[in-house]
Structure formats: C-alpha cells, structure tokens
C-alpha cells in the first residue's frame, strides 16, 4: 500500500491515512502493514526484545474506572498491599533473575504517601542497580518531583483514550486534561515517560484510535503500551465485547510506523486475548516484554481483567518463544534515539 510505503520512508501520515490503515480488512493489506511495522522496528530500535519485570505491589485503588477490576466499587476482590520490605525483596529477586529494570505498579493507593514511596525508591536504589519505573497513577507535581529526586527513572501513565467524552464517561469524576497535565509534569521533571491506550473500549471509534496515535506522536513518548479491552464481569462493562486482536495489532503497527523509535511492549492484555498474541505483537512493531514478578500469593488478586494470570507461565517470560532473528535484550533497554527520527 502506498500509505505504508510513505510511512516507512518517514513521511508524515495524516489523520485520514491513519484511519484508513486502521480500517484495512484484506489479509494481504494487513500483512503488508504488520511487515512494514516490523521493518521499521528493525531499522529504528533493532532486534533486541527488552525485558522489564513488573511488581504489582498494591491492588487498592481510589478510582472507579468502569473497565477495571480494581475499581473501588468492586467489593468482590480481596485487597492486598505488600509491605515496603516485601517490595524491596521482589525488586532484588528481579535483579537476581538478571532483569535490569523493575516496574513498580499499583492502583491509586494513598497509603503510599510521597515520603513512604520516596523511602522505598531510595532503598531499592541502595540495594540494587535497577532502573526504576513507577506506574502509580495521577499524583501531585510535588509527589512526582520527590520520587524523581529519590532516584526513579521512568513513569508509565496511560492516557487510556484521547476522546475526552469517552474518557470522562469511563473514568467517573476524572478529566482528560488533568491526565495530560500529569504526563507533561512527568516529562518536564525528566522522567522517561510512557503512555498508552486501550483498544476496543465500548463506544470507541476508529477516529478516536487515530487521535490516540497522533497524541503518541505529538507527545513523543519514550514508551507506549497498547492493549485490547478485556471485559471484567465484576465491572459495569462486564457484558461488553472484548477488543479485537486484529485491531490492537493494527494500532500497534501504525504506532510503530509513526513514532519510529518509541519502546512498544507486547502487552500482557494482548497475550491474555490470544495465546499467540504477544508473539504476533512482536512481529507487528513491539520490542518489549514485561513479565509479571509479583509474588505468587498476591498475583491472582491483581485482577485488572480476567485471565491475566496464567499459571503455566509461572512468572517466566521464557514461555514466550521469540520470533526468528530476535534476541532478549540484556541491559535496561533505554530508548534508542533513531537517526531515522520520529515523524513530525
Ligand atoms: N482491559 C484492558 N486493559 C485494562 N486496564 C484496566 N482495565 C482494563 C481492561 N478491562 C489497563 C489500563 C490501565 C492499566 C493498569 O490496565 O490501561 O492503565
Ligand atoms: Fe484504578 Fe487504574 Fe484500575 Fe482505574 S485503571 S480503577 S485507576 S487501577
């Protein structure tokens, strides 16, 4: 297809072209899109697949997102909060398994105050040489600043959807602009900043997904996580259809083509939707895998969506067979700025 060729060469793809690419239905055209994204991935970020260990340390959340199993309105899951020393141990475990970076993720849990979190970050930095990524939701500028000073390196905060109306419907009481403000603060503070979206949310149109991709390009994120919506029965969206694997892969592929050198994970959600999902994602633009290293006793309760925990995987990324020509990355997997640049 002409548009994908233009994109591959680094020409700017318009909003209309993005919508067109997301609507491709012919097998051949989809293959062309995925293969092009794979080539852009190869030439802009190389063949290494970076690993990041995730530790989901608290499933308490004050928010009530309609799509998420951790929403405060779900009184059917047991809540847990790992102690700071358990979290340090989990980080040390990640280091002993040769991970160079750990993602500390939780619901929005105010128990982890600015000071407690800063102390925890310092302790992990003292006891390991891990790169630390935080994924703790929306907080104040001062909180983000204190954690950066304590040694945190990266922050993940998905904008979920760029449609303000959809966002505000799905996240009661929250405003999209406030989330974007948080992302701007994180970037200004010098965090390597990651965002992302959910594909296939009820009421989401292709135009909304195109806006997401334009937002990823404009903000020039270091990481972008793209995952399908998976309905959770204990939420108000329990009866809705899941996002489609194909559409998720198309969003991923177009994001690779337009962002060029952004780190894009083959998300857990894509692996939950289909056993082959992460492998397919790695062949359609993704270059990161984030294995779950949450201790076993807690893992089952971090149920954002059902089916997330696969017993067989046993926390080992080795369950994923890499596509040919790819190798596991050894270092922290910083963003490589490609001379082939981001489209502007
Ligand atoms: N399906 C897919 N992803 C979800 N998330 C929350 N609920 C769901 C769901 N039902 C994602 C959001 C959030 C991350 C922690 O999990 O993108 O940022
Ligand atoms: Fe809380 Fe995040 Fe789930 Fe929303 S998506 S309920 S903020 S954990």
């Amino acid at each position: 297809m002409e548009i994908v060729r233009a994109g591959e060469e680094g020409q700017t793809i318009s909003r209309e072209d993005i919508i067109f690419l997301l609507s491709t239905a012919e097998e051949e055209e989809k293959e062309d899109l995925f293969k092009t994204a794979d080539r852009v991935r190869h030439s802009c970020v190389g063949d290494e697949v970076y690993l990041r260990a995730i530790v989901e340390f608290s499933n308490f959340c004050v928010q009530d997102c309609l799509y998420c199993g951790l929403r405060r309105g779900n009184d059917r899951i047991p809540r847990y909060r790992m102690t700071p020393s358990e979290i340090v141990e989990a980080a040390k475990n990640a280091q002993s398994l040769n991970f160079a970076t750990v993602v500390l993720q939780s619901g929005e849990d105010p128990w982890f105050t600015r000071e407690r979190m800063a102390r925890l970050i310092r302790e992990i930095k003292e006891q390991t040489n891990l790169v630390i990524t935080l994924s703790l939701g929306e907080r104040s500028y001062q909180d983000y600043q204190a954690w950066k000073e304590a040694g945190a390196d990266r922050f993940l905060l998905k904008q979920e959807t760029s449609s303000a109306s959809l966002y505000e419907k799905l996240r009661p009481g929250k405003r999209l602009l406030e989330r974007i403000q948080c992302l701007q603060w994180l970037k200004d503070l010098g965090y390597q900043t990651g965002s992302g979206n959910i594909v296939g949310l009820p009421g989401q149109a292709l135009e909304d997904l195109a806006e997401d991709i334009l937002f990823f390009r404009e903000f020039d994120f270091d990481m972008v996580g793209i995952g399908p919506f998976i309905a959770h029965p204990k939420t108000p969206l329990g009866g809705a259809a899941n996002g489609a694997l194909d559409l998720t892969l198309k969003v991923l592929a177009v994001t690779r083509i337009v962002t060029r050198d952004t780190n894009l994970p083959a998300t857990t959600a894509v692996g939950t939707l289909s056993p082959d999902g992460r492998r397919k994602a790695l062949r359609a633009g993704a270059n990161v895998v984030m294995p779950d290293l949450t201790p076993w006793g807690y893992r089952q309760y971090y149920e954002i969506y059902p089916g997330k925990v696969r017993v067989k995987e046993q926390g080992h990324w080795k369950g994923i067979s890499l596509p040919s020509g790819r190798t596991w990355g050894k270092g922290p997997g910083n963003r490589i700025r490609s001379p082939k640049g981001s489209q502007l």
Side-chain angles (χ1 to χ4, degrees), residues 162-182:
S162 316
S163 155
S165 59
L166 192 57
Y167 182 94
E168 282 155 29
K169 205 176 322 159
L170 298 177
R171 307 198 72 224
K174 306 299 291 178
R175 305 289 301 272
L176 181 60
L177 276 178
E178 287 164 7
R179 196 146 182 107
I180 294 172
Q181 173 68 266
C182 287

Side-chain angles (χ1 to χ4, degrees), residues 45 77 174 184 229:
V45 294
I77 47 161
K174 306 299 291 178
Q184 189 62 54
F229 165 68

Side-chain angles (χ1 to χ4, degrees), residues 67-68 158 160 198 228-230 304-305:
Y67 42 78
C68 178
K158 292 195 188 192
E160 317 291 10
I198 308 179
F229 165 68
I230 301 175
I304 295 175
Y305 45 78

Side-chain angles (χ1 to χ4, degrees), residues 58-73 79 105-109 136-138 160 170-171 174 179 198 302 304:
S58 164
N59 71 351
F60 281 88
C61 189
V62 297
Q63 300 303 343
D64 215 20
C65 308
L66 265 49
Y67 42 78
C68 178
L70 303 190
R71 65 199 302 268
R72 66 165 191 263
R79 302 284 171 169
Q105 188 167 69
S106 69
E108 288 195 15
D109 182 359
L136 315 175
E138 288 174 47
E160 317 291 10
L170 298 177
R171 307 198 72 224
K174 306 299 291 178
R179 196 146 182 107
I198 308 179
Y302 205 84
I304 295 175

Side-chain angles (χ1 to χ4, degrees), residues 97 313 315-321 328:
L97 291 168
E313 202 173 285
H316 286 289
W317 55 101
K318 305 211 166 87
I320 305 163
S321 59
W328 289 116

